[in-house]
Amino acid sequence: MPSKLYIAAAGNPQIRLYTVNSKSNQPVTTFDSHANNVMAVRFQCDGKWMYSGSEDGTVKIWDLRARGSQRESESPAPVNTVVLHLNLTELISGDQNGNIRVWDLTANSCSLEWVPEHDTAVRSLTMIWDRSLVVAANNCGTCYSRRVLKGNQALTRFEPLNKLQAHDGYILECLLSPELCDLQRYLVTASSDHTVKVWNVDGFTLEKTLTGHKRWVWDCAFSADGAFLHTLSSDATARCWSMAMGECERVYKQYKAIICCALGNKAKPPCMLHHR
């Protein structure tokens, strides 16, 4: 979470909240309202609440001070990914059937539905820091970019921008670069083809292909200043890449596949908390 006091671990079907600096391996709180695998869990920007998506077809809002979920939205298909719109009043989810839905937290209802490809699972969603762009990645290796329309409308509306055939295999994670990155804005895609690709958002041209992982690349995370990218793979390694050079700076080895990470500080040197 933003304060770095807690870390949330998602499982089947529980979410457990741990104190980062505690010597105890016992969770502070367990949230258990989901009925199947929890595929996504993230904190709201000031850490007052968190949100999750599950294969049980629900998107839930959790108050960290209470045990049960405070709000629930139902999707007709298993939910693979959820992101919070930076207006803090909407959630965007992607599901196994290829549907992307915008959930209005004020009205507790679906305000918009977008289907890039029918029956093609949406694996990952990302929104850029200035709220101008959202990207969805699917199991066919395709990224769909939509410009977020600005104006007086209360609810989000999208305008088609770009379709990018980024990989031949699954895209397991897509991620847009942070505000403090250099003058260029980047989209990163991590794939089952063992590669990570860096795309310039201006024209969606390929800047770099990061090679070195031997199996599926499941997750990636930028350092706060965008200078480094961290990637996680089924090959039991985590890698730290220099965005400027496109070279691997450091390799972390584990005994099992590493599929998720979160950065533990805002400094330039790499620091990760990862789940196996």
Side-chain angles (χ1 to χ4, degrees):
M1 70 184 302
S3 67
K4 308 178 189 67
L5 294 177
Y6 302 107
I7 188 167
N12 181 7
Q14 299 174 325
I15 301 170
R16 293 177 177 175
L17 193 68
Y18 295 88
T19 303
V20 171
N21 294 321
S22 174
K23 295 181 180 180
S24 172
N25 60 3
Q26 297 300 310
V28 176
T29 309
T30 299
F31 304 92
D32 54 8
S33 295
H34 280 300
N36 209 325
N37 287 318
V38 181
M39 302 298 291
V41 59
R42 298 186 184 183
F43 292 99
Q44 177 255 6
C45 59
D46 62 8
K48 292 182 179 179
W49 48 274
M50 65 182 182
Y51 55 96
S52 60
S54 168
E55 288 183 341
D56 65 11
T58 63
V59 174
K60 294 178 182 283
I61 299 290
W62 310 84
D63 186 328
L64 299 187
R65 299 165 297 182
R67 290 289 297 273
S69 63
Q70 279 60 58
R71 190 166 298 178
E72 178 180 312
S73 300
E74 293 189 3
S75 176
V79 175
N80 292 326
T81 179
V82 184
V83 295
L84 178 64
H85 193 300
L86 298 179
N87 62 17
L88 305 183
T89 63
E90 294 171 307
L91 289 172
I92 309 173
S93 68
D95 68 32
Q96 192 67 19
N97 288 354
N99 302 291
I100 296 171
R101 293 181 173 87
V102 179
W103 303 95
D104 179 4
L105 299 182
T106 303
N108 196 25
S109 63
C110 178
S111 61
L112 178 67
E113 185 173 339
W114 160 36
V115 187
E117 291 184 50
H118 289 281
D119 299 322
T120 303
V122 176
R123 186 59 54 188
S124 182
L125 289 163
T126 181
M127 175 173 266
I128 204 159
W129 60 270
D130 64 2
R131 312 183 192 180
S132 64
L133 178 69
V134 63
V135 178
N138 68 22
N139 273 359
C140 288
T142 310
C143 286
Y144 288 88
S145 304
R146 291 294 186 268
R147 183 180 288 110
V148 181
L149 298 180
K150 297 180 180 179
N152 297 323
Q153 67 269 18
L155 300 175
T156 291
R157 292 292 180 266
F158 297 131
E159 178 182 77
L161 180 61
N162 182 271
K163 177 183 176 181
L164 174 67
Q165 190 60 47
H167 297 267
D168 292 331
Y170 300 154
I171 296 178
L172 302 171
E173 183 72 11
C174 65
L175 185 64
L176 286 159
S177 55
E179 180 178 3
L180 298 180
C181 196
D182 63 25
L183 296 179
Q184 302 296 329
R185 301 190 300 174
Y186 298 107
L187 169 69
V188 173
T189 54
S191 173
S192 63
D193 67 11
H194 310 173
T195 69
V196 178
K197 294 185 178 182
V198 180
W199 308 85
N200 192 318
V201 172
D202 184 12
F204 291 92
T205 55
L206 181 63
E207 291 274 332
K208 300 177 180 73
T209 299
L210 309 181
T211 59
H213 284 299
K214 304 301 182 184
R215 295 187 178 181
W216 290 18
V217 186
W218 285 95
D219 198 10
C220 54
F222 278 104
S223 60
D225 60 2
F228 294 94
L229 180 74
H230 310 277
T231 59
L232 292 300
S233 172
S234 297
D235 65 10
T237 67
R239 292 175 178 263
C240 173
W241 307 84
S242 165
M243 285 294 291
M245 302 301 294
E247 297 177 353
C248 183
E249 300 264 327
R250 197 171 300 179
V251 179
Y252 304 84
K253 295 183 179 180
Q254 290 284 350
Y255 297 104
K256 296 182 179 180
I258 312 174
I259 62 171
C260 182
C261 74
L263 295 188
N265 62 34
K266 293 186 177 181
K268 287 186 177 181
C271 178
M272 284 183 289
L273 300 170
H274 43 258
H275 312 281
R276 293 179 290 172

